[in-house]
Structures are given as structure tokens and as C-alpha cells.
Amino acid sequence: MEDSRSRKMAGIAYRALEEKKAEDIKVLDIENISTLADYFIIASGRNHNQVQAMADEVDEKLGKAGFVPKQTEGYRTANWILLDYGDIVVHIFDTENRLFYDLERIWRDGKETTIEELEEL
């Protein structure tokens, strides 16, 4: 089932972000409102090094699970790194840019999902 695949990916990404001390991790289920992805995961880091480390950890953990990103944007500047895995899109911001772009407001029709809901079988 496709949903279980995307839930698994989102769970792995969430835990990877947690490991690197990401701030304010949000998972938005956008499956019913967009064809872009099933989940958007949004998190922030305190500085560029942390933001890059978070992206590296997500990439490593999802890669070990067999998932390869379709596209990565913004890694060098690390203001907003976008990791597009097709079923999920991970947005990692520095604090200032997260406030500026406010994806949670733009995608407010998405359903906020907890890590516990993602990991339910």
C-alpha cells in the first residue's frame, strides 16, 4: 500500500531530524489536498551547520532504507533545504526563513500528523 510507504518514509525522516536536534518538527498530511506529495515535513535548525547536518541525516537514514531523493535544493546556502522524495518533501529551514515563508500557514488545509500516527501499523 502506497500510504504505508510514505508513512514509513515520513517516520524515518522525522526520527532523523530528531536525532540532529531539529526544532519544531511538523508533519503535514497533504495527500487529500495536493498531488505534490503525501507528507510535508517542516523543521528548523539554529544555524547553517545544523540545517545541513539535519539534511545529511535525513538523506543518510532514508538512503539506508532504500529511498533516494528526486531532488535536493538549497543545501549550499542552508537557509531552506528542500529534500524531495516524491511521496514526502522535507523542508529544513533556519529560524528566520521558516518564519518568513510560513509553510504551515500556506498549507494549513493539511492535517498535522504526529510521529505516533506515522508509526502506527
Side-chain angles (χ1 to χ4, degrees):
M1 183 175 172
E2 192 65 26
D3 182 51
S4 64
R5 179 178 188 270
S6 57
R7 281 176 38 175
K8 177 182 179 183
M9 292 171 73
I12 292 168
Y14 186 102
R15 293 297 185 197
L17 291 166
E18 254 186 350
E19 278 186 35
K20 292 300 177 184
K21 310 285 189 247
E23 297 175 350
D24 196 20
I25 306 169
K26 293 272 187 340
V27 179
L28 300 178
D29 180 341
I30 61 167
E31 180 180 20
N32 294 323
I33 61 168
S34 176
T35 58
L36 289 175
D38 292 341
Y39 295 100
F40 270 5
I41 301 160
I42 306 165
S44 338
R46 289 180 295 285
N47 58 54
H48 290 177
N49 289 339
Q50 184 188 17
V51 169
Q52 286 177 334
M54 290 161 50
D56 291 342
E57 189 72 10
V58 168
D59 193 45
E60 180 184 331
K61 291 294 189 328
L62 282 170
K64 283 182 178 174
F67 304 112
V68 179
K70 291 182 173 192
Q71 190 167 354
T72 300
E73 298 285 339
Y75 186 86
R76 193 180 56 72
T77 58
N79 299 324
W80 174 4
I81 298 176
L82 182 143
L83 303 169
D84 181 355
Y85 285 86
D87 294 336
I88 69 165
V89 178
V90 182
H91 302 271
I92 307 171
F93 290 96
D94 63 22
T95 308
E96 184 180 325
N97 281 287
R98 182 164 182 181
L99 290 171
F100 180 79
Y101 289 103
D102 198 5
L103 291 186
E104 290 95 330
R105 182 186 58 76
I106 295 168
W107 290 93
R108 67 182 171 269
D109 291 342
K111 176 187 175 290
E112 191 167 337
T113 304
T114 65
I115 185 62
E116 291 79 18
E117 290 171 314
L118 290 174
E119 293 177 341
E120 282 176 2
L121 291 179

